[in-house]
Amino acid sequence: MDRSLAELEAIVRKRICNLCTERTVAGGCGLEEPTSCALFRLFPQVAQAIQSVSSDDIHQYIEAIRTNVCSVCHEQQRDGSCETRQMVQCALDAYLLLVVDAIEEATGKTFNKSNLGGLGAGSLTGLGPQMQL
Ligand code: SF4
Ligand code: SF4
């Protein structure tokens, strides 16, 4: 199913912002600079990275995000680390499972979440919200 980037972004905004811990009571984004949210600041790269993967293994999506999104994000340090990610303040990383699920569903694919049992706390630092799946 073909979806425009704008449609995909609207779907992901609806799904993720609604449960994001940064969301304000009024329904807006509580970040000091809402445009700094990496999920939407780099949304074209996020959508492209996720659509380039066809797998039920979340690690392949993480790898695609690291390669195609984190690599061009100004938050990432030269050694590949990211303080924002470590502090669970990157919505893209914290809600990656939900982002993958939303984009795959919107484009007519399915992401089989039953394979997530072996996922340890590590790259996906925000396992809490993701495990609401
Ligand atoms: S931080 Fe990002 S995901 Fe969270 S409410 Fe703001 S724009 Fe939405
Ligand atoms: S994890 Fe860090 S480097 Fe990657 S998109 Fe988020 S803020 Fe940027």
Side-chain angles (χ1 to χ4, degrees):
M1 195 187 311
D2 282 339
R3 294 271 196 181
S4 71
L5 202 55
E7 278 179 309
L8 282 179
E9 182 172 340
I11 290 166
V12 173
R13 273 191 190 277
K14 195 171 171 192
R15 184 88 68 95
I16 305 303
C17 295
N18 269 342
L19 53 80
C20 179
T21 53
E22 297 293 344
R23 189 176 163 89
T24 64
V25 179
C29 176
L31 289 181
E32 203 168 312
E33 286 181 58
T35 53
S36 70
C37 173
L39 171 55
F40 298 110
R41 176 168 48 83
L42 297 169
F43 192 76
Q45 290 90 337
V46 171
Q48 195 278 327
I50 290 175
Q51 289 181 287
S52 74
V53 177
S54 188
S55 171
D56 288 333
D57 181 357
I58 190 65
H59 294 93
Q60 292 197 23
Y61 290 93
I62 296 171
E63 202 176 308
I65 292 293
R66 295 283 180 275
T67 303
N68 299 294
V69 184
C70 296
S71 62
V72 296
C73 178
H74 59 73
E75 301 281 352
Q76 180 163 280
Q77 301 301 305
R78 295 177 79 168
D79 65 0
S81 66
C82 172
E83 199 180 325
T84 307
R85 179 168 68 228
Q86 283 162 2
M87 295 173 73
V88 201
Q89 287 177 349
C90 173
L92 169 60
D93 189 73
Y95 300 108
L96 186 59
L97 287 180
L98 292 170
V99 176
V100 168
D101 198 44
I103 290 182
E104 296 295 48
E105 188 184 305
T107 53
K109 292 200 280 180
T110 52
F111 177 70
N112 184 354
K113 298 182 277 290
S114 65
N115 291 336
L116 295 172
L119 191 65
S123 295
L124 287 168
T125 43
L127 273 176
Q130 287 158 12
M131 295 317 277
Q132 290 172 4
L133 280 169

